[in-house]
Amino acid sequence: MTNSSRVTRRAVYPGSFDPVTNGHTSLIERACGLVDELIVAVARSDSKTPMFSFEERIDLMERTVSTLDVKDQIKVVGFDGLLAKFAIEQKANAIIRGLRAVSDFEYEFQMALMNRKLAREVETVFLMPALSWVYLSSSIVRDVATHGGDISGLVPPQVAAAIKQKLQSNK
Ligand code: PNS
């Protein structure tokens, strides 16, 4: 098969990204090695009462992606509603999710099987972040930051600045 006739491999990488961490960027870079186009899908996730608004999370993700070498492969899109429906609308072949530890597995497995039921043609692919980020999550970053801990080196610099600003404006 010649390169020009090859089907574009497109995946969706969904999450609340509240906020985007270095673990997420590690996943984004790895996913871009597997697919031609990656849609980083920021979920509205209003029920989770996020620290950052939907618009702020999209903006932070766009600014983060713009710093990556793989930026030309990536589109950042906000979505609301069912992920499976969104993936089909975006003509994605795969959903990328990160797996850090056994504790992630049950929820991720349930979600992957449900998404397969809703969108048979879309495969869920699990990737592991770089070892340094295995313990990292958005919720632990929020918790450490809220209690005055140092989160530099765990999130991109523009995200660390946004968290600092958010915490100051909430005082
Ligand atoms: O980063 P998160 O919060 O773990 O991401 C979870 C997310 C947003 C991917 C998940 O909650 C989701 O897919 N939400 C959209 C609604 C949906 O499709 N729910 C059914 C999942 S089987």
Side-chain angles (χ1 to χ4, degrees):
M1 195 187 284
T2 64
N3 225 15
S4 57
S5 63
R6 193 166 65 75
V7 174
T8 302
R9 291 166 307 173
R10 182 181 298 128
V12 168
Y13 176 41
S16 303
F17 304 116
D18 183 40
V20 50
T21 68
N22 288 347
H24 295 131
T25 57
S26 170
L27 253 282
I28 289 172
E29 286 169 335
R30 277 156 207 277
C32 283
L34 296 177
V35 300
D36 304 302
E37 295 175 11
L38 185 70
I39 295 160
V40 178
V42 181
R44 181 172 273 279
S45 301
D46 280 344
S47 61
K48 294 186 179 175
T49 49
M51 174 185 243
F52 289 97
S53 72
F54 184 43
E55 293 72 21
E56 286 170 333
R57 284 178 281 128
I58 293 172
D59 176 61
L60 279 176
M61 183 56 88
E62 278 172 345
R63 283 161 55 200
T64 298
V65 163
S66 73
T67 66
L68 303 179
D69 289 346
V70 290
K71 61 176 176 286
D72 294 343
Q73 282 173 260
I74 302 170
K75 201 162 77 169
V76 177
V77 181
F79 82 103
D80 196 8
L82 272 183
L83 170 61
K85 187 165 168 270
F86 176 79
I88 292 170
E89 282 165 5
Q90 297 292 322
K91 299 184 170 46
N93 321 102
I95 292 169
I96 305 281
R97 288 288 288 174
L99 263 190
R100 291 162 301 187
V102 179
S103 51
D104 280 342
F105 183 76
E106 204 168 318
Y107 168 63
E108 293 298 335
F109 191 63
Q110 188 182 28
M111 206 160 73
L113 290 180
M114 182 53 72
N115 282 330
R116 178 186 279 170
K117 183 170 167 50
L118 296 170
R120 288 222 156 267
E121 61 275 47
V122 185
E123 287 294 343
T124 295
V125 178
F126 293 110
L127 296 179
M128 289 169 292
L131 204 52
S132 350
W133 313 124
V134 161
Y135 65 93
L136 190 58
S137 68
S138 295
S139 57
I140 211 156
V141 165
R142 288 196 306 272
D143 198 34
V144 170
T146 306
H147 291 93
D150 181 13
I151 49 143
S152 59
L154 303 179
V155 295
Q158 64 279 6
V159 175
I163 294 174
K164 198 171 164 194
Q165 206 177 7
K166 175 71 71 182
L167 292 174
Q168 270 165 1
S169 70
N170 284 350
K171 270 186 188 165

